[in-house]
Amino acid sequence: MDFYLKENGMRAELPYGEIDISGNEDYGYRPFQLMVASIAGCSASVFRKILEKQRTEIADLQVHAEVERNSEEANRIEKITLKYTVKGRRLDPEKLYKNMEIARKNCSMIRSVEGSITIEEHIDTVELS
């Protein structure tokens, strides 16, 4: 990856397109947003793949991330709570949580921050008729 200086931050040119990064939301994504997005995105992608392998059919998967930061330590991320909403038919919450544990062990982004950022996951199910 290559990053280039721009007036109010940095720009990265990636295969999917350009991304602007700035401490000011008016000029790009803030670094902490990208960190949270990478953790949530990785976790959800791995979870979805595991559900597919387990032949658990879902109609939708949404993730809401809540972030706790420590203003006394350079606003570092202390904790990320990922709240999953899984919609489908005949969902087994116990099986979903077991699959979430497997996903956690196989998500490179979560594994990369273990020991420095607390990651919690919760699952809500919406049963479709």
Side-chain angles (χ1 to χ4, degrees):
M1 281 190 265
D2 293 319
F3 297 86
Y4 303 95
L5 184 64
K6 62 178 216 151
E7 187 174 337
N8 293 298
M10 300 295 292
R11 174 169 287 151
E13 293 182 13
L14 304 171
Y16 193 70
E18 293 180 340
I19 187 167
D20 291 327
I21 306 163
S22 176
N24 183 333
E25 254 177 17
D26 293 337
Y27 301 105
Y29 294 100
R30 296 181 62 200
F32 93 91
Q33 292 170 325
L34 295 171
M35 172 76 82
V36 174
S38 69
I39 291 168
C42 177
S43 176
S45 295
V46 174
F47 184 49
R48 181 180 181 179
K49 286 179 188 173
I50 290 168
L51 292 177
E52 288 172 358
K53 285 182 181 180
Q54 296 284 329
R55 297 177 196 232
T56 301
E57 292 184 33
I58 60 170
D60 193 22
L61 174 66
Q62 297 175 2
V63 183
H64 173 77
E66 294 180 3
V67 183
E68 291 180 24
R69 299 177 73 189
N70 186 338
S71 61
E72 294 181 13
E73 289 188 32
N75 238 357
R76 77 182 290 278
I77 298 171
E78 298 275 334
K79 179 179 176 181
I80 300 171
T81 303
L82 301 174
K83 296 182 178 183
Y84 286 79
T85 301
V86 181
K87 296 178 183 178
R89 291 178 179 80
R90 296 177 303 282
L91 297 172
D92 179 350
E94 186 176 322
K95 185 177 178 182
L96 290 173
Y97 272 103
K98 286 180 183 177
N99 289 331
M100 176 63 68
E101 283 300 315
I102 296 168
R104 182 184 186 93
K105 291 176 184 175
N106 289 283
C107 171
S108 62
M109 295 297 97
I110 289 178
R111 299 301 304 264
S112 295
V113 300
E114 283 179 339
S116 62
I117 298 175
T118 301
I119 308 289
E120 287 185 359
E121 295 129 331
H122 302 281
I123 302 172
D124 290 322
T125 59
V126 176
E127 193 67 31
L128 301 176
S129 54

